[in-house]
Amino acid sequence: MREDRRRLAGPGGALGRAAVRLVPALALLREGRVWSGLLLLAVPAGLLAVAVLRFDRLVPFVVSGAMDQRLAVLTLVVGLVSSWWMAERGRRRLPLEGGAGPVGPRPRDPLLRAFLGMPTGVAALVVIVLFYLTALLTPLLAPFDPAMQGDLVTGRLLPPSRDHLLGTDQFGRDQLSRLLYGARISLVIGLVAVTVAVTLGTVVGAVAGYAGGWIDAVLMRVVDMVISFPRLVLLIAIVALFQPSILLIMVILGLTQWPHIARIVRGEVMSVREREFVVAGRVLGFRPSRVLVRHVLPNSLAPVVVAATLGVGDAIVVEAILSFLGLGVRPPTPSWGVMVAEGRAHMLGAWWLAAVPGMAIVAVVLAFNLAGDALRDAMDPRRRT
Amino acid sequence: MAVFLLRRLLLAIPMVLGVATLVFLVLEVAPGDATARYAAPGVAPEALEQMRRNMGLDRPAGERYLRWMGAMLRGDFGVSLSRNEPVREVLAQTLPNTLLLSATALILAFGGGILLGTLQAVRAGGVVDRGISITTLLFYSMPSFWLALMLILVFSVQARNVWDWPFWFPASGMVSLDHGFLGSREQILDRIRHLTLPSVSLALVLAAGIARYMRASLLEVLSLDWVRTARAKGIPEWRVVVEHAMRNALGPVATLFGLYLPVLFSGTVVIETVFAWPGMGKLMVDSIFQRDTPVVLAAAFLFALLVIVGNLVADLLHALLDPRIRPAARAR
């Protein structure tokens, strides 16, 4: 027992313990989970490397007054703290300081274990985390200001070189910096659109599925009608009538996606509704709203998580399409769709201008699709291997 | 069968009404009205007011709604602002081109998807299966406009100008400039060449989804008892798959037809714009930049109508092919 404790406390005494507390990945490493430990360690190590290498930009990055910059810093801090807290909470279950119970690797959540057991799922997760970190840290990573134009005679449409890793566009702006800033647009649009869609879809689907009868019939006919419109056609019609802005694009992307979520939630709620514990809740005399929110919904949301993951990829593609058509994000704001549209004019001389932003879209969307698939497989006990 | 047909037709009518209502609601919620186009510093407010009265925009919303629905159902979409032609005529010119493109893409997508899915199911778990799986997911994740641009880059720009391939495909339009001077065989060939890249880039994205579905469906059928019986009787494996299993696996895949129609038309809008294909999608995008709202709304309505009609046809075909569906419909 004492030996176990010493092994877990690790070498280095108090300093080592502090390091382990601060960087949960170290605890994983010591438990012998080398791969997951190294993978987790890469995040703080990468952050540290960026902070050291771009030390000169660190202060402006944190204290910048721009709205998107403040949001980015806030998201970054919240994300880091919450992921650290989750790891720490999981670690604390170990009887580290001499509690009762077996000492050893904490048994992992079966869902998490199934997900992490799939190489495609892990690879997708890595790409997604990388994508989010890149988007949040853009001002530290980008070699140039994305709006800075180069020499219009000698600096235009340069091929990739050591100075400009992805070359320059038709105004001599650094393509890599624009690509990095473009990630921010995709990140925000994906998140907001899916949040809108999931909220609305869950409410409508849950009410329709739980109430049944004419309420269900009416709501589902509305869903059928919205789905009858090709999504892009409806989006274009709306954009045509309103003043396009990033906020509008995000909201209407969500407003055209919710019917799919609603269908999924409705089906799930209808099957959960008949289970014994729900019937028991009804028999006990709980209000229908309480039964629905506290008992039915938490047990119906698993497929929504999958749909939401796939939906982020969808939203990113549709935003790119709208921006490509000139109906979404307006130049000079760097969005991946805008960049492909601008590169299109130079396909013969500088094909990489259109090709590379598209590859970025494919990589991110593929990651979300793979992660969604892996999640679905992890949740389906029949497919678990 | 007649009862089923009637039932299905009756169900489609409220859908059409609902779709027209939705377009009306979008128009209502949007800021500004049809006169906003004419508002300029030199135009008197009274003139705009008069215009509003002439167009019936001063009427209460209920009356405008009924007028709108009546006009939509009669197929009267107003006059195009940028072309000074009835919207109906403008749409009639572009609709056949859109139908040609999407029908070709649909055939290619289902043909290719079913073929790939079958290959995967037969070799489930093997290298072929995994290779096709990854490739199709890659195509599934591609934005259609980018895929189209890359196909143009390879098969028309580079193939013609740089690599000097013996074949290349035109990147825009439906026919070549000298189309009228070609012989009848060359004319058909010219059209096919123009159709190739747009339809392939539309079909590739769809085929990926169909292949996944076909694979799952066929795998399920292949595990059934009667397939084992067929094998035990000594029927060659390819006949078991093609004649026995595939026929039963295609049922669920056929339902994808209805699900994919909206996806297909969304893709058509993009692809038509990229390839300058004179169809309804390109018309819609062009009309936005010309602030031609009647055309945009009418095209949106027509696209939704196409989806509803397509679903209707698909259901009827399904009922014809699969007798199990009919009694279920009657029981409902």
Side-chain angles (χ1 to χ4, degrees):
Chain A
M1 190 68 210
R2 177 172 298 163
E3 207 170 295
D4 281 341
R5 208 182 305 159
R6 195 173 309 139
R7 183 170 60 83
L8 278 168
L15 199 67
R17 260 198 300 273
V20 167
R21 279 193 86 88
L22 213 60
V23 188
L26 291 178
L28 275 181
L29 272 181
R30 217 176 35 190
E31 280 169 28
R33 300 199 208 134
V34 180
W35 281 112
S36 39
L38 283 180
L39 214 56
L40 254 183
L41 196 60
V43 174
L47 286 178
L48 205 65
V50 170
V52 169
L53 288 174
R54 298 286 187 189
F55 187 69
D56 51 326
R57 294 195 208 162
L58 199 57
V59 174
F61 174 76
V62 177
V63 298
S64 162
M67 190 61 193
D68 60 332
Q69 192 51 45
R70 278 190 204 162
L71 273 178
V73 173
L74 188 72
T75 316
L76 197 63
V77 172
V78 169
L80 282 179
V81 168
S82 58
S83 52
W84 173 81
W85 182 74
M86 273 160 72
E88 170 72 14
R89 196 186 55 162
R91 204 178 62 87
R92 242 182 310 179
R93 287 200 203 127
L94 281 174
L96 197 65
E97 305 299 333
V103 176
R106 174 176 51 93
R108 269 187 281 182
D109 179 33
L111 180 66
L112 190 68
R113 194 169 50 199
F115 183 82
L116 292 180
M118 279 175 271
T120 50
V122 175
L125 196 65
V126 169
V127 173
I128 291 172
V129 169
L130 217 60
F131 164 63
Y132 275 89
L133 284 179
T134 310
L136 291 173
L137 294 172
T138 305
L140 296 184
L141 296 171
F144 294 93
D145 179 353
M148 189 187 69
Q149 302 190 354
D151 188 311
L152 278 181
V153 180
T154 59
R156 295 177 72 230
L157 304 172
L158 293 176
S161 66
R162 193 188 289 252
D163 286 344
H164 300 279
L165 284 177
L166 293 178
T168 58
D169 69 358
Q170 73 275 22
F171 298 120
R173 296 174 295 194
D174 181 52
Q175 184 78 352
L176 177 63
S177 304
R178 285 174 61 73
L179 194 73
L180 291 176
Y181 273 93
R184 291 194 147 185
I185 305 269
S186 296
L187 171 141
V188 172
I189 284 185
L191 278 187
V192 176
V194 167
T195 309
V196 171
V198 166
T199 314
L200 204 59
T202 306
V203 171
V204 173
V207 169
Y210 195 71
W214 66 269
I215 299 180
D216 180 34
V218 169
L219 287 178
M220 282 305 113
R221 287 300 81 72
V222 174
V223 165
D224 285 347
M225 277 158 209
V226 180
I227 286 182
S228 287
F229 277 95
R231 189 168 178 207
L232 207 59
V233 168
L234 190 56
L235 285 174
I236 289 179
I238 297 174
V239 170
L241 293 168
F242 291 84
Q243 285 297 320
S245 72
I246 294 185
L247 190 71
L248 174 76
I249 301 286
M250 291 191 292
V251 172
I252 60 174
L253 275 178
L255 288 182
T256 47
Q257 201 169 27
W258 67 267
H260 300 274
I261 307 263
R263 271 192 179 168
I264 295 169
V265 174
R266 171 177 174 264
E268 213 44 36
V269 164
M270 282 171 82
S271 77
V272 174
R273 186 176 67 173
E274 306 304 331
R275 301 247 296 266
E276 283 88 351
F277 66 91
V278 179
V279 177
R282 273 202 295 265
V283 171
L284 281 171
F286 292 156
R287 272 174 290 116
S289 59
R290 173 168 173 176
V291 177
L292 180 57
V293 175
R294 300 274 294 269
H295 303 271
V296 176
L297 262 188
N299 290 291
S300 322
L301 288 182
V304 176
V305 178
V306 175
T309 312
L310 298 173
V312 175
D314 247 22
I316 290 175
V317 167
V318 178
E319 182 273 324
I321 291 177
L322 284 176
S323 299
F324 172 79
L325 293 176
L327 303 170
V329 176
R330 294 299 164 104
T333 311
S335 143
W336 290 343
V338 170
M339 290 171 71
V340 174
E342 288 177 342
R344 185 185 172 192
H346 308 281
M347 290 265 279
L348 192 53
W351 55 267
W352 53 86
L353 284 182
V356 174
M359 287 176 197
I361 301 175
V362 176
V364 171
V365 174
L366 185 64
F368 276 106
N369 284 346
L370 281 173
D373 276 359
L375 260 179
R376 188 191 340 233
D377 288 355
M379 282 172 182
D380 188 351
R382 280 173 304 172
R383 287 205 233 176
R384 258 182 224 168
T385 41
Chain B
M1 189 64 202
V3 178
F4 174 79
L5 205 142
L6 203 68
R7 233 172 221 286
R8 195 59 193 73
L9 266 175
L10 283 178
L11 268 176
I13 292 171
M15 286 288 288
V16 174
L17 294 178
V19 160
T21 309
L22 201 63
V23 177
F24 178 78
L25 284 179
V26 169
L27 190 62
E28 273 302 286
V29 174
D33 58 20
T35 58
R37 184 183 159 83
Y38 303 101
V43 179
E46 296 82 38
L48 286 179
E49 200 47 50
Q50 180 64 46
M51 232 185 275
R52 215 162 267 145
R53 255 199 308 278
N54 290 349
M55 293 190 212
L57 291 172
D58 57 336
R59 297 278 160 191
E63 191 187 327
R64 270 183 295 134
Y65 174 64
L66 289 180
R67 275 176 195 281
W68 166 269
M69 295 298 271
M72 281 286 143
L73 294 184
R74 267 181 280 122
D76 169 17
F77 303 120
V79 177
S80 160
L81 299 176
S82 62
R83 292 155 210 258
N84 268 328
E85 247 181 300
V87 173
R88 206 170 156 175
E89 315 255 298
V90 180
L91 288 176
Q93 289 159 14
T94 53
L95 182 62
N97 300 341
T98 294
L99 289 181
L100 172 67
L101 176 60
S102 28
T104 314
L106 211 56
I107 292 169
L108 285 179
F110 271 89
I114 289 170
L115 193 72
L116 286 176
T118 308
L119 270 177
Q120 280 184 281
V122 172
R123 295 264 176 274
V127 182
V128 178
D129 178 24
R130 259 184 257 162
I132 296 179
S133 256
I134 294 171
T135 317
T136 49
L137 196 62
L138 192 68
F139 277 110
Y140 187 73
S141 306
M142 275 183 198
S144 48
F145 67 91
W146 184 74
L147 177 62
L149 282 182
M150 291 303 109
L151 288 180
I152 290 178
L153 180 64
V154 172
F155 290 103
S156 48
V157 176
Q158 297 286 87
R160 188 183 177 188
N161 300 311
V162 183
W163 298 330
D164 209 19
W165 284 2
F167 64 92
W168 55 273
F169 295 98
S172 76
M174 278 185 76
V175 289
S176 304
L177 282 175
D178 57 355
H179 183 77
F181 302 104
L182 297 172
S184 58
R185 266 193 65 192
E186 278 80 22
Q187 278 193 343
I188 294 176
L189 208 67
D190 185 48
R191 280 180 179 273
I192 292 177
R193 271 162 53 91
H194 277 83
L195 189 57
T196 307
L197 286 187
S199 55
V200 165
S201 39
L202 255 179
L204 273 175
V205 179
L206 288 180
I210 297 168
R212 288 182 88 180
Y213 223 81
M214 182 67 195
R215 174 183 183 272
S217 172
L218 190 56
L219 270 181
E220 206 174 314
V221 172
L222 282 175
S223 70
L224 294 178
D225 287 344
W226 55 263
V227 173
R228 199 177 48 205
T229 309
R231 283 184 182 142
K233 280 166 77 179
I235 301 172
E237 181 64 23
W238 68 269
R239 282 188 58 188
V240 173
V241 172
V242 175
E243 287 179 19
H244 297 259
M246 258 178 92
R247 204 183 274 188
N248 286 280
L250 282 177
V253 175
T255 57
L256 274 188
F257 180 80
L259 282 177
Y260 273 14
L261 272 183
V263 185
L264 173 75
F265 288 130
S266 285
T268 312
V269 175
V270 183
I271 295 296
E272 281 179 3
T273 312
V274 173
F275 287 98
W277 186 268
M280 249 167 45
K282 185 173 186 309
L283 174 74
M284 206 177 160
V285 174
D286 288 348
S287 301
I288 290 186
F289 293 112
Q290 292 154 349
R291 303 232 149 271
D292 197 345
T293 317
V295 174
V296 174
L297 295 180
F301 178 65
L302 207 55
F303 267 123
L305 215 57
L306 283 179
V307 172
I308 294 173
V309 171
N311 270 317
L312 193 65
V313 173
D315 278 5
L316 293 182
L317 281 179
H318 205 174
L320 270 178
L321 295 174
D322 193 342
R324 280 172 301 181
I325 293 175
R326 275 170 268 158
R330 209 172 298 146
R332 220 187 292 154

